[in-house]
Amino acid sequence: MTRLHVLKSDPRTLPADFWESEQCELLVMARWAQDRQQEVKFLHQQLPSLPGHVWIATSGTLASQWIALSKKAILLSAAAVNAHLQATAAESWGLTLPLAHVGGLGIMARAYLLKQTVIALTPEAWNPAALGENAWHGHLLSLVPTQVHDLVQQNITPPKSLRAVVVGGDRLSSELYQAALKLGWPLLPSYGLTECGSQIATAQPQDSSGKLTPLTHVKLHVDHEDRLWIDSDALFTGKALVEQDKITWSARASGAWPTQDRAEIAADGSLTILGRFDSVVKVRGEKVDLSALEVDLQTKLKASLVIISLTDERDGSSLWVMSEQDLSLDKINQDLLPHQKIRGVHKVTALPRTALGKIKRGELRAMMTASSLR
């Protein structure tokens, strides 16, 4: 029988035998589960009960896709992270991420291996002040870019004991990275996936370049299309796609696994993520990488914005910008190639985000398709 855990960011909510038990565990974010009791019940009853495994939703989805990771795989990833960070038993972790996310669960796995203390900094709700100097005294921390943004905006400085802050979950802009470094936050940009138990490549401690170094538990290569492939014993066992009252289970094929990310591996082995295959659209027959274009515009305009692509009968796709700021369409399109031009810009009160700060692009696309915005 699968054990159900509805979790926030409090380490005390995981059972003491979690890592040793051969039970199958289903982890659900408390905020997501609040108004979905029937859906949670359905998942609890219908997801395959795999001994020694953890079911966890992939970030960026509306809990329609669930990943089965073995506890051994998660602990293997955790051991590689500990080695990369040169973590010791005397050090403690701060926890601000939900335990039903691979980022939060990964912290618990690392701490379990070294018998470290995990300090719940924001067990109920995110509070940047709880991470500041004199508010706590820990050594290691993991954050998402949205949380880093809040720390910078509020000019919060870290405790002197803090040695490393792994940043994952989404893209960290160079501007935000440099601003946080100036405040003293020892950020380590990282690249990771739920499907591989957490981190895959992380910057080296004390290296302010932010260069991503692959961890020891993974072997990476890119193919002729620049697609990143991962081979690791920490890879997932299988996936379950949930559609209404139906669950479709598929096991992962053995060997290296292809991601949806485009990447480059340098001569020194360092990894650069170029974008995602599902972010590339065609406008007038020319390819446009929406992810790369977003980064360019955010840097140029010093603004938070999202590019939404809509189907266009004439051009194949039309590109639209949504932002919380007043942006000039002429300024946006300045220096862009013809096929990169933005059709229109719309200001919104707030960009919809997940609990971990990722943009809910589906919601924005639904807003864009409304006739009042086009």
Side-chain angles (χ1 to χ4, degrees):
M1 180 64 180
T2 300
R3 293 195 292 189
L4 170 65
H5 310 279
V6 180
L7 303 169
K8 295 183 181 178
S9 300
D10 187 342
R12 296 171 298 180
T13 54
L14 276 187
D17 68 342
F18 184 87
W19 297 110
E20 294 91 351
S21 173
E22 279 300 304
Q23 290 268 35
C24 183
E25 323 279 359
L26 170 59
L27 309 187
V28 180
M29 286 192 188
R31 185 184 300 181
W32 181 84
Q34 190 171 0
D35 300 315
R36 295 179 172 88
Q37 284 90 352
Q38 286 301 114
E39 193 169 347
V40 171
K41 182 179 179 181
F42 172 76
L43 291 167
H44 189 202
Q45 293 175 342
Q46 298 300 322
L47 283 173
S49 186
L50 306 174
H53 277 69
V54 178
W55 281 107
I56 192 164
T58 54
S59 59
T61 69
L62 295 177
S64 60
Q65 185 169 260
W66 292 77
I67 305 296
L69 283 162
S70 73
K71 295 178 184 180
K72 290 180 180 179
I74 299 171
L75 291 172
L76 176 65
S77 171
V81 175
N82 280 341
H84 184 82
L85 298 178
Q86 299 179 359
T88 68
E91 294 180 313
S92 61
W93 276 91
L95 180 66
T96 67
L97 302 176
L99 296 176
H101 179 268
V102 72
L105 188 64
I107 289 173
M108 298 302 296
R110 296 164 211 156
Y112 165 77
L113 290 175
L114 292 177
K115 295 181 171 54
Q116 296 166 315
T117 299
V118 179
I119 304 166
L121 298 176
T122 56
E124 296 298 325
W126 165 239
N127 173 23
L131 277 64
E133 191 173 4
N134 301 322
W136 71 297
H137 302 284
H139 308 89
L140 302 166
L141 187 61
S142 188
L143 299 174
V144 295
T146 299
Q147 293 172 323
V148 177
H149 174 271
D150 292 346
L151 293 170
V152 170
Q153 286 294 105
Q154 297 183 33
N155 207 39
I156 294 172
T157 56
K160 292 180 175 59
S161 58
L162 189 61
R163 184 169 66 81
V165 181
V166 178
V167 184
D170 206 354
R171 184 177 58 241
L172 178 68
S173 71
S174 59
E175 183 181 34
L176 181 57
Y177 177 46
Q178 294 301 325
L181 289 180
K182 286 182 180 178
L183 283 173
W185 292 95
L187 299 191
L188 302 180
S190 74
Y191 166 73
L193 293 168
T194 303
E195 288 88 345
C196 200
S198 183
Q199 294 169 51
I200 292 165
T202 304
Q204 294 281 3
Q206 310 302 323
D207 181 3
S208 60
S209 72
K211 184 187 295 186
L212 299 180
T213 300
L215 273 60
T216 55
H217 70 301
V218 298
K219 293 180 181 178
L220 307 178
H221 77 270
V222 294
D223 60 22
H224 66 283
E225 295 181 316
D226 295 330
R227 184 185 298 275
L228 179 65
W229 290 69
I230 302 172
D231 195 359
S232 172
D233 288 337
L235 281 167
F236 68 107
T237 300
K239 295 185 179 183
L241 182 64
V242 182
E243 297 175 292
Q244 296 180 345
D245 59 349
K246 179 184 177 183
I247 290 181
T248 304
W249 156 261
S250 59
R252 179 182 62 84
S254 61
W257 175 71
T259 72
Q260 288 298 311
D261 293 308
R262 296 169 49 247
E264 179 179 85
I265 300 176
D268 64 359
S270 62
L271 178 71
T272 300
I273 301 300
L274 304 175
R276 288 183 58 83
F277 280 92
D278 54 13
S279 75
V280 176
V281 299
K282 280 195 173 183
V283 180
R284 303 175 193 171
E286 299 284 347
K287 289 182 179 180
V288 179
D289 188 327
L290 301 184
S291 178
L293 185 57
E294 268 186 14
V295 172
D296 290 343
L297 289 178
Q298 287 169 351
T299 301
K300 181 176 79 172
L301 302 171
K302 293 182 171 55
S304 175
L305 60 86
V306 176
I307 300 176
I308 298 298
S309 168
L310 299 179
T311 300
D312 185 90
E313 185 175 347
R314 178 179 180 273
D315 294 339
S317 297
S318 61
L319 307 182
W320 303 76
V321 159
M322 304 189 81
S323 175
E324 297 168 357
Q325 298 159 261
D326 286 312
L327 300 177
S328 163
L329 182 59
D330 288 340
K331 192 170 183 180
I332 289 174
N333 283 329
Q334 185 180 349
D335 302 325
L336 293 185
L337 297 172
H339 62 281
Q340 296 175 320
K341 298 287 187 183
I342 302 300
R343 185 78 58 87
V345 58
H346 298 290
K347 183 181 179 182
V348 294
T349 303
L351 294 170
R353 297 177 181 272
T354 67
L356 288 175
K358 283 194 173 182
I359 300 292
K360 295 182 179 179
R361 296 178 184 273
E363 287 190 16
L364 289 177
R365 187 168 287 105
M367 292 169 62
M368 281 300 309
T369 55
S371 59
S372 60
L373 289 182
R374 299 175 65 186

